Amino acid sequence: MNGLSVKRPFSAVSDNDSSEHRPSKLVKRAPNATNTVERNWGSWFGSAVQSFKGLFSSPGPTQPPMRSISPLASHPRGALGWIHSGGHQVFEVPDDGEDSGTEALAIRQKRDRGTLEARQHLNDHAARHTGIHHNPGQIHPNLEQPLFSSKYSPNFLPPSEHVNVRSSSTNSSSSAAGPSSGPSTPPRASTRPDVAYKKPSRSYSWKRQDDGSASPTTHEAYTRGPKQLSRPSKSSANLRTGRNDSGQEKMLQRHYVEAVNAGDHGTAMSLARVREAYEQDRSKERRDAARPFAARVGLSPDLRKEGDLSLSLHNLKLDVDKRRLLDDKLQGPREPRAVPKPIRNKRRPVPTSLDVQKTHVYDRLRREDQEAERQVKERLQPRIPDDVTPQQAAIIRDRFSDRSFAATLGSAELSSSSLQRLKPDVWLNDEVINFYVELINTRAKDDGRPLHCLNTFFYEKLSVAGYAGAKLARWTKRMKLDIFALDKLLIPINHGNSHWVCAVINFKQRRIEYYDSLADSGRRYEVFKTLRGYLQSEHQEKKGSSFDLRKWEDQFDPDTPKQNNYTDCGVFACQTLESTARGRDLVKQKFEFDGDNMAFFRRLMVVEIASGALGARPWGT
Amino acid sequence: MSDAGSPSNAAETKPKADDNTLNIKIRATDGSEVFFKIKKTTKLNKLKNAYADRVGQDPGAIRLLFDGQRILDNATADDLDMEDGDVVDVLLEPQEAIVTRWQIVSSAVLLAS
């Protein structure tokens, strides 16, 4: 059995080798010479599995015992109808004494004979068509060189030998084929004998290198010189389509050379046919590629012939030239087109001295530094806290619980019940607002700021009774106040016992500002009108002349922060007044608080009212 | 109605009767006027209470103004340099009118129309 496992090439099988097969009764005919023993064990395992399956599926028939030693031996199992599984077939070859090695040899000889016959037939066929007669096994002298070789192929021959080979082949082909083949070309290689050593030219014409004949027949392709044959492999059609057939052609050439060297002319012929098919494909591509170009230049799309195409192009060019001449005659000589000046980049002057502070790099760095500093300041800017300090919270608790609380500041008076309104979600009354107005005025007086905050009664009297009816001239007289010497006049306004807003008469900027923390109601027009009338009347009363309000403008920004509820309008008005009194320009600068801060400001206002002075605002500028 | 005559009458009569008393006119925003005669040294919260009794209001809701300044409860006519026949304005505390969403919407509708 050991001999079976040895793989031997078929050609090496001889009589001596086949003697080793003898001792075994069974000759394996499996395509792969694998180990028989291993396969037998596999068969045994498969049969065991089969027996298990049978055991569970049909317990009726008695199963054979599983103690079989070798399925190769004849066993009663086979008689019981137990099907061998495992796929391998076992043949019993009768030992008739004939050598199987001689049989193989006979088969091989038969095959070779057939090949020889076929080869002979093909040879005759080729000779009939090509006129090349040669004996089998002997390569024709014309075919000693590879037909498809290019000057880059390793077995390239110098052109002098090519000339000889080609001229002889041309002669032979012309003599054999007769009138069917076209007129023979003069040997091109003789005119350009050194073309093979030049650098290959990259300009390829899509025109065929024709010699007046039609497409080359198989015979011509067969007998043509290597240079001409290798030329279409880099045709412009290839370049245009971008397809690379050189790999396929190289392989085709290699097979062709091999076939020729082996004397297999049938294969060589078929390969030559394939190559011819390539040629035809390429010429078809060339023809197709001319069509879109014709359509592109506006010629007839069904223009196919090259001559027509070139003629049409020529006519087109003539037409253009004619039109140009006509234009020149009609319009006179054309003006020479103005040549645009080349755009030159402005170059920064190169600093002659080392004045660092004047360089643009210095400017840029300084700007970046300032920006970074501004950002850091903004980040370090204290923000409005969520709640007051614990000490202030204690004060608030104390004041809220004190029912007898009463505060007086200037002409303002605040009772405990009014203080309770600073608790969340309660509407502020005029006592709180007016007390806060007094706080603002006190601070302005202490700081020496030229501003004054009027109380809530001012606008109420002004809007209802008017300037003269309310005797408002007496108000400023008693306060010894000249409003036209002020920077700002702050006015809290109560709209219809429901909504607190505030207005600022800004004498410096000459504008009347109106701040509403709720949705924009149209009452601001009335406020602007009333305040303008007050300014006019006051000026007339106090200065004895009319007040020029033409350059004054009414300022209202509907995008100021809004309150989150319907009770914070008083707090909003107080804080807007305070912020304006602190010097913040709320028209140009943005508000430092919004509706979310009102809970904190309610508590802060309690502290400020209790302490009788406005607290510091580190978050403000 | 009697506006024109009363100060002159008071000025004529009252100083003669008593130098220490003043005739004060309390004028509401609706134009109604009430006259009071007070002593110069009387705390003016008494004036406020008297007016509240007269008009039937809560004294806490009444704001008395003299020349734009609120008259504090402890102040007297002397403190404020009141003269005979001076006018005291009275304002009512703005009652908390809850701004409802409906009011905002209606005002917006009025504006739009």
Side-chain angles (χ1 to χ4, degrees), chain A residues 212-260:
Chain A
S213 69
S215 67
T217 59
T218 312
H219 163 65
E220 281 172 352
Y222 206 69
T223 55
R224 202 177 277 167
K227 184 172 166 292
Q228 235 174 336
L229 283 173
S230 68
R231 190 177 176 83
S233 68
K234 293 203 170 185
S235 71
S236 62
N238 257 351
L239 292 176
R240 196 181 302 123
T241 52
R243 205 191 319 163
N244 186 12
D245 292 334
S246 64
Q248 293 183 22
E249 289 193 17
K250 272 179 192 168
M251 189 175 290
L252 201 63
Q253 172 194 342
R254 207 177 60 239
H255 284 301
Y256 185 87
V257 170
E258 280 173 10
V260 168

Side-chain angles (χ1 to χ4, degrees), chain A residues 308-604:
Chain A
D308 291 351
L309 176 67
S310 59
L311 188 65
S312 304
L313 281 173
H314 183 65
N315 291 338
L316 194 72
K317 190 171 177 300
L318 282 182
D319 286 350
V320 172
D321 287 348
K322 267 186 218 162
R323 267 186 63 186
R324 282 205 180 141
L325 282 172
L326 196 64
D327 284 355
D328 287 352
K329 272 183 186 172
L330 287 176
Q331 302 176 358
R334 291 164 179 247
E335 290 180 3
R337 185 175 289 176
V339 179
K341 280 185 182 177
I343 300 169
R344 300 178 68 179
N345 288 332
K346 262 191 184 176
R347 288 188 183 164
R348 295 173 189 277
V350 179
T352 51
S353 62
L354 196 64
D355 194 357
V356 177
Q357 297 198 352
K358 284 185 179 174
T359 58
H360 63 280
V361 178
Y362 177 82
D363 284 347
R364 185 170 56 80
L365 289 175
R366 198 186 52 190
R367 254 183 279 118
E368 288 175 0
D369 268 10
Q370 286 172 350
E371 175 64 19
E373 200 170 336
R374 193 192 60 78
Q375 286 180 357
V376 167
K377 268 184 184 171
E378 192 177 327
R379 207 176 296 171
L380 291 177
Q381 173 88 14
R383 299 181 181 272
I384 299 173
D386 292 335
D387 201 356
V388 294
T389 62
Q391 292 85 359
Q392 291 171 332
I395 294 172
I396 292 165
R397 271 199 306 275
D398 180 49
R399 295 299 183 274
F400 275 153
S401 61
D402 183 11
R403 285 288 162 182
S404 62
F405 174 82
T408 305
L409 185 68
S411 68
E413 196 176 37
L414 189 78
S415 63
S416 173
S417 63
S418 295
L419 189 73
Q420 302 289 327
R421 291 175 177 268
L422 284 169
K423 285 179 176 174
D425 290 339
V426 190
W427 192 76
L428 301 192
N429 65 357
D430 61 325
E431 277 194 342
V432 180
I433 306 282
N434 284 328
F435 200 93
Y436 213 74
V437 163
E438 287 299 324
L439 288 175
I440 290 169
N441 281 333
T442 307
R443 188 181 67 178
K445 205 174 290 177
D446 292 347
D447 293 352
R449 290 178 193 270
L451 64 89
H452 187 81
C453 190
L454 296 168
N455 56 20
T456 61
F457 310 119
F458 167 77
Y459 188 79
E460 194 174 350
K461 291 297 287 184
L462 176 65
S463 62
V464 171
Y467 181 81
K471 294 194 173 71
L472 289 179
R474 289 185 58 144
W475 290 36
T476 48
K477 185 184 174 188
R478 177 162 289 275
M479 286 185 283
K480 299 180 179 65
L481 183 71
D482 180 13
I483 61 168
F484 301 104
L486 296 174
D487 281 352
K488 294 171 182 175
L489 184 66
L490 315 179
I491 304 155
I493 297 169
N494 183 21
H495 277 315
N497 279 355
S498 60
H499 185 41
W500 290 108
V501 296
C502 62
V504 176
I505 299 177
N506 196 325
F507 290 95
K508 268 203 165 177
Q509 308 290 333
R510 288 183 179 177
R511 66 187 175 213
I512 301 173
E513 304 160 14
Y514 180 81
Y515 299 105
D516 195 336
S517 59
L518 209 60
D520 170 30
S521 67
R523 287 166 171 168
R524 68 173 184 275
Y525 302 113
E526 181 197 335
V527 171
F528 288 138
K529 188 181 166 190
T530 309
L531 290 180
R532 276 170 179 265
Y534 169 72
L535 284 176
Q536 194 69 257
S537 305
E538 180 77 6
H539 199 269
Q540 191 75 41
E541 179 75 24
K542 295 289 164 67
K543 307 285 181 181
S545 62
S546 64
F547 190 62
D548 188 11
L549 280 165
R550 281 175 300 183
K551 288 184 180 174
W552 281 63
E553 59 181 10
D554 302 336
Q555 178 68 43
F556 173 69
D557 183 12
D559 294 329
T560 52
K562 302 298 178 202
Q563 58 196 77
N564 296 336
N565 46 32
Y566 300 115
T567 52
D568 277 346
C569 51
V571 189
F572 247 105
C574 287
Q575 295 309 315
T576 307
L577 290 175
E578 191 276 335
S579 184
T580 312
R582 209 183 328 126
R584 196 178 181 90
D585 189 354
L586 293 178
V587 176
K588 287 176 181 164
Q589 292 175 282
K590 61 176 185 176
F591 276 58
E592 59 205 17
F593 53 85
D594 58 5
D596 295 334
N597 303 119
M598 288 303 116
F600 164 76
F601 278 118
R602 276 177 181 269
R603 293 171 70 74
L604 184 70

Side-chain angles (χ1 to χ4, degrees), chain B residues 14-79:
Chain B
K14 297 306 166 187
K16 292 173 185 174
D18 190 356
D19 266 357
N20 210 19
T21 57
L22 291 172
N23 284 310
I24 298 296
K25 182 169 70 174
I26 293 184
R27 186 174 56 185
T29 49
D30 58 352
S32 62
E33 293 175 345
V34 183
F35 292 89
F36 287 95
K37 190 168 77 176
I38 56 168
K39 284 184 182 175
K40 288 186 176 177
T41 54
T42 309
K43 285 188 179 179
L44 288 175
N45 65 338
K46 287 191 175 178
L47 178 68
K48 185 168 74 174
N49 291 336
Y51 181 75
D53 279 348
R54 177 70 69 88
V55 297
Q57 281 278 353
D58 176 23
I62 284 175
R63 310 277 188 263
L64 294 181
L65 300 179
F66 180 62
D67 288 348
Q69 302 292 315
R70 184 178 172 187
I71 299 173
L72 302 180
D73 288 348
N74 292 330
T76 61
D78 271 346
D79 297 338

